Amino acid sequence: QLPTGLYKKVLVILHDSVLPYMNEPTLMMDFLTVAYGIGGAISLLALNGLFILIHQHNLEYPDFYKKLYSLLDPSIYHVKYRARFFHLTDLFLSSSHLPAYLVAAFIKRLSRLALTAPPESLLMIIPFICNLFRRHPACKVLVHRPGGPADMSEDPYIMEEEEPSESRALESSLWEIQSLQSHYHPDVAKAAAVLNQSLSEMEDDISGLLELSGYELFDKEVKKKATDVPLEFERVRGLFGKKNDIFAEHFSLD
Amino acid sequence: SNPFEVKVNRQKFDILGRKTKNDVGLPGVSRSKAIKKRTHTLLKEYKEREKSNVFKDKRFGEYNTSITPEEKMIRRFALERQQNYGKKNIYNLNEDEELTHYGQSLAEIEKLNDVVDSDSDTEERGTLSAELTAAHFGGGGGLLRKKVSGGQQDEEEEKPKSRKELIEEMIAKSKQEKQERQTRRESALELTEKLDNDWKEIQTLMARKPPKSERKDKEVEKPKPDEYDMIVRELGFEMKAKPSERMKTEEELAKEEQARLQKLEADRLRRMRGIDEQADKKKPSHVSADDLADGFILDKDDRRLLSYKDGKINIENEEEEKEEEEEDEEGGEEDNENEEESEEESASEDEEDDAADSHSDLESDLESEEETAENKEQKRHQTNENESQNVEEVDPKREAAKSELPYTFAVPESYETFKSLLAGRTVEQQLIILERIQKCNHPSLAVGNKAKLEKLFGFLLEYIGELATLDLPELGTIDKLILPLYNLCQMFPEAASDSVKFILRDAAHDMEEVIEVKGRATFPGLDTLIYLKITSLLFPTSDFRHPVVTPAFIYMSQLLTKCRITTLQDVIKGLFICCLFVEYVSLSRRFVPELINFLLGVLHISLPKKQVQGYTVVHPFTPVGKNLELLLVCDKEDLESWQKQNLPLGIVTRLKETSRTEINHIRLSCLAMCFDLIRKCAALYESLPSFHEIMHPIRILLTQHMPVNEYPEKMQEWYHGALKELENKVRHYTPLICEKKKPVPLKQYTPKIVKVLEFGRKQASSKKEQERKQLIQRHKRELKGAIREIRKDNQFLARMQLSEIMERDSARKRKVKELLGSLATQEGEWKAMKRKKWKN
């Protein structure tokens, strides 16, 4: 009923400027439920207020996790409210009473989506997934399946399935993270390689990684003191003069 | 010693290998030692406590034990004499005068008496003394003899000689003999002296050239040495040729080169895997072929920060005018050097050819481009010059000056001077200038040259950037300038990496600022794209982590995710970056999600607007909204007439003036490029375990949404090429299995070996902590010892005081007794006297 811009503005401040001062915060229930149902960034923002209602005011929300699961789409790694969303998701998934299939479905979906994520999000999501494995050891079959079938022609996980219990996530393996081990960013590749070994007991602290931006990554990399700079040994012959230069095929100097 | 004076410190346990110092104590000895020491020091002090006068013993060496007593005495005597020296004693008569006898010093005579000259005439002196004695003491023998010899000489001859005569004769003979001997010796001496002198004369003569006559003689004597002999001599004296490595054959050279490349490649692979990233650091740094190995450590890049300026054309105009003036002067100066100049130039061009050696075919390819670039440049100059009034006057001179370049160039100190140095020159001349700058200022020639040339790299980079930002980017020039840039980079890797990093940081910083202000970024100019391309030319892009390439990766990733796509230029720039990505990862096959996302987005904007199904485009593309259909071409004719063309890079700055058909063609070329890139990506990433998941959206888009049939045939070829590469990959999934953990070793009962620093101390702590504890312990011990000593001192003093008092008391008692005794006797005597009186 509100224009999206206003919706966003309201939802951004709702949880800490409005809800604590209301006599009956439960009145916001309908508003938040509707907002949560809209989808996209607005749903992400409504999550925060909804969490307060569930947590402090005994709100029952049927199929909450299913809804949360359906919120996961490629844009979550790119939007501005990424930090807030993952902070809340981390909270929601911190319960150790969640069924393994649900957590596995979340893990699988998050990592599938991570195939389109920028490095700053990847640096956050990989420890996030590691933490999920630590909390729910039953999900570890995703990274360690000793007696499984030797060869599969398909990933059993069904990405399009709305219902986490139907997604057959527990039958799958985390090939996505394995793919990310050859990511171009060295830190991402290293973080992904952690899942090759058995995990340590301690959870990683991801609070510092939530707000990571690409520019910070760049800055960190640039400011590193280089002791030794390897050089290209192939002699150049011009701007597009490399061997099999792709540019020579598509661009011309003119 | 006496066993009763020995105290034995019993050990509780005998420990092997421990050396004990204090197992036997001698309490008596040590006590007496201590008392002795105290009497020498403390007691003395105590006794002198109220005395302010001090006795100083200044006798030389009195307390110095290192001097022996004799020496001590001698030195003291010497000192005494020194003190007395110069003091005139009035009572001292003639002390300094020498006593003489017959004008000879008495002391000397005494000395001489002892000397015996074996050589000289002892007998003579003996006789002389004999005569003298005769003369002095009037010995009758002598006179008698004279009388006899005067009167009866004849008789004496016949007469058998008396004993006296015999003796006389003998004496005379011996005398004679002796004289002869002396004369002989003298003559011999004279002769040797003479010989010496002669020899000296001759020697000087010999050293100089012999006089002519002599030489002639010699020539006559010796036959003229023939050539053979001379050569033999020469060869004999010639430096022996040392055995060197033999010349390598072509094959060997090629083999060596191959080995070198293989080594470099292996190095690159190692870095690419990034396994031993840590270990890598400890290894000796990569030494490039051009490294000077002079151990020079690079300082920090201290070049000035230069900002880009607006209105370049204006600045250039001014500078060119300046340049013209300069050139005029140069031309005037160098007219006479014309020939040499041209020679030099050709030589340097030859060298350049050498440098480019094997790429001569490519060179020729580029030549044409270069020429066009030149033409263009000249045109530009001419237009500029048209604006300035004195075209006709300047032009001929200018042309003349252009063909001449000075031999030597100083490295420009600032970017402005550098620019003015290159402005108005053709590409070849610019290259020559750069080469000459490098040659004249080679780091081995002077100390500061290295820093200067490092600056030059920055200037060159900036110059390239400036050329790229012109309205008509001079890409041909840039293309040629890459080679000197590469060479400089090989010489100074650190400085080069710093410069490139600096530029990248600037660019990233600008973008971040724009994002903060506007909320979205736009693609950077052509210069940044060129810089990114240059990065891939100068540095190995396959390294796991590289100080320059990794930031470049992140920057490009940001460009692809943060920058809005609003125009066709944006698409072209984006595709350029995609190409860069593909090139960067072509060897390492690293996964770049942004690349796939962008290609998907590009395909998406080539489709007509409709509801997307089966795939989701990600930032910066949106499934709905404006800026869609950027690459959509509906015009049938344009579709028909399209030929795949290489997109000119300059297009990103000047697209507006092209016609609609051309734009459509460019769009189609972009699409074809996109297909090609997808094909390349598919080839790169086929080994990734989730390859199909990664490519899934693209495949869906290609198979279900692309209006393939509407495309011209060429385009369909590109399309099918991409699709085929995507489709014919086997689906192959193997479940993941964690690497086995290393089993934790069981605890063993083997003794743990710890370094023992001091016995009886706790060992389990860090070294620093141990040291601290030791210090505390030592301090405690010293404190205790000091307290004990002070206590003993006090006891000793008290004892001394007590004994003093006792002594004093006993003396007093004795005196009182004496007095009392004397008084008693006095009394007794008095009483006795009294009694006597009474009796009397």
Side-chain angles (χ1 to χ4, degrees):
Chain A
Q1 72 252 45
L2 291 169
T4 40
L6 190 61
Y7 236 132
K8 280 183 184 169
K9 272 182 195 164
V10 169
L11 288 170
V12 164
I13 58 164
L14 193 71
H15 67 283
D16 57 14
S17 313
V18 180
L19 281 179
Y21 306 105
M22 285 176 77
N23 287 331
E24 275 196 58
T26 39
L27 290 176
M28 294 302 292
M29 206 156 51
D30 287 334
F31 172 75
L32 284 171
T33 320
V34 170
Y36 191 44
I38 286 178
I42 293 169
S43 298
L44 297 185
L45 290 172
L47 210 55
N48 212 337
L50 215 54
F51 169 70
I52 290 171
L53 291 185
I54 294 170
H55 183 59
Q56 293 165 5
H57 304 284
N58 295 324
L59 176 73
E60 276 273 319
Y61 197 98
D63 293 337
F64 177 78
Y65 283 102
K66 189 188 162 192
K67 189 84 186 106
L68 188 66
Y69 183 71
S70 67
L71 275 184
L72 302 179
D73 70 348
S75 65
I76 53 165
Y77 290 121
H78 296 271
V79 290
K80 250 195 285 179
Y81 312 108
R82 189 186 71 208
R84 183 198 283 229
F85 175 72
F86 279 101
H87 171 70
L88 290 171
T89 315
D90 194 33
L91 269 181
F92 296 142
L93 294 177
S94 60
S95 161
S96 55
H97 297 298
L98 292 176
Y101 74 86
L102 182 77
V103 180
F106 267 100
I107 289 173
K108 193 66 190 165
R109 196 173 180 107
L110 281 173
S111 46
R112 178 66 63 83
L113 296 176
L115 289 178
T116 62
E120 60 267 25
S121 305
L122 286 172
L123 281 178
M124 180 267 301
I125 197 65
I126 293 172
F128 184 94
I129 288 171
C130 290
N131 280 352
L132 288 182
F133 277 122
R134 289 185 183 113
R135 285 172 207 158
H136 307 278
C139 295
K140 280 190 180 166
V141 286
L142 283 182
V143 285
H144 183 59
R145 193 188 299 278
D151 210 355
M152 288 184 272
S153 63
E154 273 288 319
D155 188 350
Y157 174 71
I158 304 160
M159 180 76 170
E160 291 76 22
E161 181 60 54
E162 291 278 305
E163 186 64 48
S165 57
E166 304 284 312
S167 65
R168 299 172 64 201
L170 274 176
E171 297 165 36
S172 177
S173 272
L174 219 51
W175 291 291
E176 290 84 0
I177 301 293
Q178 203 190 10
S179 304
L180 287 179
Q181 283 169 13
S182 51
H183 193 269
Y184 67 89
H185 195 283
D187 291 341
V188 173
K190 267 189 199 163
V194 165
L195 280 172
N196 272 353
Q197 277 99 36
S198 50
L199 289 167
S200 60
E201 290 296 310
M202 280 289 287
E203 284 196 9
D204 297 323
D205 181 28
I206 61 160
S207 57
L209 299 171
L210 286 173
E211 303 265 12
L212 208 62
S213 78
Y215 183 66
E216 281 171 60
L217 277 188
F218 177 85
D219 224 32
K220 202 178 116 197
E221 216 49 57
V222 160
K223 276 177 185 160
K224 262 185 192 154
K225 271 268 165 273
T227 48
D228 163 36
V229 186
L231 291 175
E232 180 63 57
F233 55 84
E234 190 191 326
R235 281 194 75 86
V236 294
R237 300 155 215 177
L239 196 55
F240 295 164
K242 263 189 156 183
K243 242 187 275 167
N244 314 323
D245 204 305
I246 303 160
F247 292 88
E249 292 175 30
H250 297 294
F251 290 98
S252 65
L253 292 168
D254 190 10
Chain B
S1 60
N2 187 358
F4 292 101
E5 283 178 0
V6 172
K7 182 184 177 277
V8 177
N9 295 322
R10 200 173 60 85
Q11 297 281 297
K12 275 186 181 169
F13 311 104
D14 279 336
I15 295 170
L16 269 181
R18 181 191 282 188
K19 279 179 192 162
T20 48
K21 296 192 276 202
N22 302 320
D23 51 353
V24 175
L26 299 167
V29 174
S30 60
R31 192 176 299 139
S32 72
K33 234 191 241 169
I35 288 169
K36 209 174 167 187
K37 202 179 168 192
R38 286 201 171 82
T39 47
H40 278 127
T41 54
L42 191 65
L43 191 64
K44 229 180 205 172
E45 245 176 76
Y46 175 70
K47 278 181 177 164
E48 287 168 3
R49 66 192 184 280
E50 279 150 3
K51 287 173 183 157
S52 55
N53 290 338
V54 181
F55 176 74
K56 268 189 188 167
D57 192 352
K58 280 190 174 174
R59 284 175 296 173
F60 177 83
E62 182 62 29
Y63 301 104
N64 196 344
T65 51
S66 64
I67 301 173
T68 56
E70 290 111 54
E71 204 184 337
K72 203 194 287 178
M73 288 304 153
I74 290 165
R75 298 281 288 277
R76 277 185 192 172
F77 182 67
L79 276 173
E80 203 179 343
R81 291 300 293 266
Q82 267 178 15
Q83 277 171 353
N84 289 338
Y85 179 76
K87 279 182 193 166
K88 285 272 173 182
N89 197 340
I90 42 169
Y91 304 108
N92 190 1
L93 301 171
N94 294 331
E95 185 153 77
D96 298 339
E97 285 172 19
E98 251 182 320
L99 298 175
T100 54
H101 177 69
Y102 282 106
Q104 281 178 315
S105 165
L106 272 183
E108 267 177 35
I109 288 169
E110 266 170 42
K111 270 181 211 166
L112 271 176
N113 275 346
D114 298 339
V115 178
V116 178
D117 246 4
S118 64
D119 231 11
S120 65
D121 23 22
T122 40
E123 287 126 296
E124 219 169 7
R125 206 177 52 191
T127 51
L128 229 161
S129 64
E131 271 172 31
L132 218 123
T133 45
H136 277 252
F137 308 109
L143 290 173
L144 258 175
R145 195 181 55 191
K146 272 180 184 173
K147 276 176 190 169
V148 171
S149 62
Q152 330 162 329
Q153 222 163 16
D154 297 344
E155 291 163 39
E156 272 175 18
E157 281 179 1
E158 285 143 35
K159 269 184 195 171
K161 282 159 190 172
S162 66
R163 187 181 150 268
K164 204 180 176 184
E165 279 170 348
L166 273 175
I167 292 171
E168 292 248 318
E169 215 172 326
M170 241 166 62
I171 289 170
K173 247 186 200 170
S174 68
K175 253 188 195 175
Q176 208 180 346
E177 246 172 61
K178 196 169 166 72
Q179 212 151 19
E180 273 172 15
R181 235 190 299 152
Q182 210 157 2
T183 49
R184 236 185 289 146
R185 199 192 296 147
E186 271 174 13
S187 65
L189 216 120
E190 243 170 62
L191 276 173
T192 47
E193 235 167 68
K194 204 188 164 193
L195 202 67
D196 273 354
N197 288 336
D198 285 358
W199 166 243
K200 265 176 199 165
E201 278 172 29
I202 292 164
Q203 204 179 20
T204 50
L205 286 177
M206 278 172 81
R208 288 193 212 123
K209 281 176 188 172
K212 248 188 180 178
S213 57
E214 277 181 17
R215 216 196 290 172
K216 265 183 187 171
D217 291 346
K218 274 177 192 171
E219 275 175 0
V220 172
E221 281 169 21
K222 273 188 187 176
K224 205 184 171 187
D226 61 4
E227 263 181 46
Y228 172 78
D229 279 344
M230 270 164 68
I231 289 169
V232 167
R233 286 276 166 80
E234 272 173 22
L235 284 177
F237 284 115
E238 218 172 47
M239 278 269 281
K240 285 258 167 63
K242 278 170 192 157
S244 64
E245 285 183 20
R246 73 194 166 83
M247 290 284 278
K248 282 162 182 160
T249 61
E250 288 280 305
E251 274 174 46
E252 278 172 327
L253 278 177
K255 221 181 238 176
E256 224 166 64
E257 177 67 14
Q258 199 188 355
R260 191 183 71 88
L261 283 178
Q262 269 174 359
K263 195 186 151 286
L264 286 170
E265 179 67 14
D267 232 26
R268 188 191 66 73
L269 280 173
R270 185 175 50 73
R271 277 184 275 125
M272 179 173 104
R273 277 185 237 112
I275 299 162
D276 44 4
E277 209 187 7
Q278 297 306 315
D280 197 39
K281 281 175 187 165
K282 282 159 202 157
K283 283 183 184 169
S285 58
H286 168 80
V287 179
S288 78
D290 296 318
D291 201 38
L292 293 167
D294 54 358
F296 191 90
I297 297 163
L298 282 179
D299 296 332
K300 277 190 81 174
D301 186 13
D302 55 350
R303 72 199 176 93
R304 286 198 300 137
L305 304 186
L306 291 166
S307 53
Y308 292 100
K309 291 216 167 104
D310 297 323
K312 265 149 210 144
I313 304 285
N314 289 337
I315 290 168
E316 285 230 325
N317 263 339
E318 288 168 21
E319 265 164 20
E320 263 171 23
E321 280 167 18
K322 240 188 267 164
E323 186 64 24
E324 281 158 23
E325 288 165 20
E326 281 174 23
E327 274 167 11
D328 287 349
E329 287 169 18
E330 280 166 10
E333 282 167 15
E334 286 161 16
D335 274 342
N336 48 356
E337 293 174 359
N338 250 341
E339 291 174 9
E340 291 169 9
E341 281 287 340
S342 57
E343 271 176 27
E344 164 77 12
E345 223 173 274
S346 62
S348 59
E349 269 170 5
D350 285 350
E351 279 162 9
E352 202 185 285
D353 282 354
D354 286 352
D357 47 19
S358 58
H359 328 311
S360 51
D361 49 342
L362 201 116
E363 198 95 322
S364 60
D365 282 359
L366 292 169
E367 216 99 7
S368 55
E369 289 173 8
E370 202 177 286
E371 276 167 21
T372 57
E374 247 174 82
N375 288 339
K376 203 186 287 172
E377 202 184 30
Q378 293 208 347
K379 260 185 229 159
R380 196 169 60 84
H381 290 314
Q382 270 158 19
T383 52
N384 285 336
E385 278 154 17
N386 280 333
E387 287 165 21
S388 60
Q389 304 252 319
N390 48 359
V391 198
E392 282 82 7
E393 290 168 23
V394 171
D395 228 5
K397 274 187 185 176
R398 189 190 164 82
E399 289 305 318
K402 261 193 176 179
S403 60
E404 301 152 10
L405 291 170
Y407 289 119
T408 57
F409 290 94
V411 179
E413 285 298 315
S414 71
Y415 176 58
E416 307 302 329
T417 50
F418 175 72
K419 213 168 68 176
S420 62
L421 198 65
L422 292 188
R425 307 275 187 184
T426 63
V427 187
E428 282 82 9
Q429 283 174 332
Q430 289 186 5
L431 287 177
I432 290 166
I433 289 172
L434 285 172
E435 197 179 342
R436 285 188 187 168
I437 289 178
Q438 276 184 56
K439 285 225 174 102
C440 296
N441 299 285
H442 196 268
S444 57
L445 296 179
V447 179
N449 281 348
K450 197 166 164 114
K452 282 186 196 165
L453 284 182
E454 283 168 12
K455 273 189 199 169
L456 185 68
F457 181 86
F459 296 152
L460 197 54
L461 215 56
E462 202 169 332
Y463 184 63
I464 286 172
E466 192 160 298
L467 288 180
T469 43
L470 293 177
D471 271 353
L472 286 169
E474 293 182 28
L475 294 165
T477 316
I478 294 174
D479 190 44
K480 298 301 270 181
L481 287 177
I482 295 295
L483 195 64
L485 198 68
Y486 177 82
N487 289 336
L488 275 174
C489 180
Q490 293 286 334
M491 281 169 99
F492 314 108
E494 273 88 359
S497 79
D498 279 348
S499 306
V500 178
K501 255 156 81 174
F502 181 76
I503 280 169
L504 285 177
R505 203 176 60 206
D506 261 6
H509 187 73
D510 287 349
M511 192 174 83
E512 184 65 16
E513 265 182 0
V514 171
I515 288 176
E516 267 175 26
V517 173
K518 288 186 189 167
R520 59 166 184 259
T522 50
F523 275 102
L526 183 61
D527 53 337
T528 312
L529 300 183
I530 297 275
Y531 283 140
L532 287 170
K533 174 67 188 156
I534 286 173
T535 306
S536 79
L537 293 176
L538 298 184
F539 302 105
T541 52
S542 59
D543 286 13
F544 184 68
R545 192 191 283 276
H546 188 280
V548 182
V549 176
T550 308
F553 258 122
I554 300 172
Y555 179 56
M556 293 197 306
S557 140
Q558 294 224 309
L559 288 181
L560 285 194
T561 48
K562 299 265 167 68
C563 294
R564 281 290 179 88
I565 313 287
T566 50
T567 60
L568 190 53
Q569 279 109 313
D570 290 342
V571 177
I572 295 170
K573 282 176 183 173
L575 283 172
F576 187 91
I577 292 169
C578 286
C579 285
L580 277 174
F581 258 130
V582 172
E583 187 186 271
Y584 273 44
V585 300
S586 58
L587 285 171
S588 57
R589 300 180 159 226
R590 296 195 199 289
F591 175 44
V592 186
E594 293 85 349
L595 174 62
I596 308 293
N597 293 345
F598 196 87
L599 292 177
L600 180 71
V602 170
L603 287 185
H604 178 68
I605 57 173
S606 73
L607 296 177
K609 266 187 207 174
K610 64 175 177 184
Q611 203 57 43
V612 278
Q613 278 173 338
Y615 66 94
T616 36
V617 290
V618 289
H619 211 73
F621 298 95
T622 47
V624 287
K626 51 185 180 176
N627 298 326
L628 285 178
E629 303 184 344
L630 262 177
L631 289 184
L632 183 65
V633 179
C634 299
D635 200 334
K636 286 273 179 199
E637 281 180 28
D638 292 347
L639 279 173
E640 289 301 315
S641 62
W642 175 74
Q643 288 287 325
K644 165 75 176 136
Q645 58 175 8
N646 283 358
L647 289 174
L649 261 188
I651 208 169
V652 296
T653 51
R654 47 173 171 90
L655 192 60
K656 275 145 205 159
E657 59 259 37
T658 41
S659 70
R660 191 177 157 69
T661 317
E662 276 179 49
I663 286 179
N664 274 341
H665 284 173
I666 288 169
R667 281 176 178 159
L668 288 172
S669 294
C670 283
L671 194 59
M673 196 199 301
C674 186
F675 285 139
D676 188 47
L677 286 175
I678 287 171
R679 189 177 59 79
K680 288 200 163 85
C681 284
L684 277 180
Y685 295 145
E686 66 177 313
S687 60
L688 288 183
S690 47
F691 170 76
H692 292 283
E693 281 75 29
I694 292 166
M695 290 300 181
H696 178 71
I698 288 183
R699 196 170 55 239
I700 287 197
L701 202 149
L702 284 181
T703 49
Q704 295 176 11
H705 301 275
M706 275 280 161
V708 195
N709 298 327
E710 293 171 23
Y711 288 142
E713 267 184 37
K714 285 264 181 184
M715 186 63 94
Q716 285 190 18
E717 271 175 34
W718 289 106
Y719 167 81
H720 285 298
L723 196 62
K724 219 170 106 188
E725 196 73 33
L726 281 183
E727 298 272 277
N728 64 0
K729 296 285 182 300
V730 282
R731 287 168 178 266
H732 181 77
Y733 296 90
T734 41
L736 295 182
I737 288 176
C738 275
E739 285 169 19
K740 265 186 190 157
K741 222 202 245 175
K742 254 191 192 170
V744 180
L746 286 173
K747 273 194 179 172
Q748 304 275 298
Y749 290 104
T750 46
K752 190 181 169 194
I753 293 164
V754 185
K755 202 175 150 198
V756 176
L757 295 171
E758 201 179 345
F759 286 102
R761 297 273 158 269
K762 278 174 192 163
Q763 305 292 341
S765 52
S766 72
K767 203 181 170 191
K768 214 173 175 185
E769 184 66 14
Q770 273 180 7
E771 266 176 21
R772 207 179 71 87
K773 273 184 180 166
Q774 274 184 10
L775 272 181
I776 289 172
Q777 189 65 29
R778 211 173 292 159
H779 171 254
K780 218 181 193 174
R781 204 194 298 153
E782 290 298 315
L783 187 73
K784 269 186 179 170
I787 289 171
R788 195 166 52 229
E789 286 300 303
I790 288 169
R791 199 179 289 142
K792 277 184 180 168
D793 279 356
N794 282 334
Q795 282 171 355
F796 176 79
L797 267 186
R799 223 169 25 239
M800 282 298 139
Q801 279 166 351
L802 185 71
S803 65
E804 226 171 67
I805 289 167
M806 297 268 271
E807 216 172 276
R808 233 186 296 145
D809 281 359
S810 61
R812 189 172 147 270
K813 254 182 199 166
R814 190 172 40 80
K815 274 180 185 168
V816 168
K817 231 183 213 169
E818 262 176 28
L819 281 175
L820 281 178
S822 69
L823 280 177
T825 48
Q826 214 176 341
E827 184 81 9
E829 277 171 9
W830 182 69
K831 274 184 179 166
M833 278 202 16
K834 222 179 173 181
R835 238 178 274 142
K836 261 185 189 168
K837 266 184 189 174
W838 280 105
K839 275 181 185 172
N840 291 339

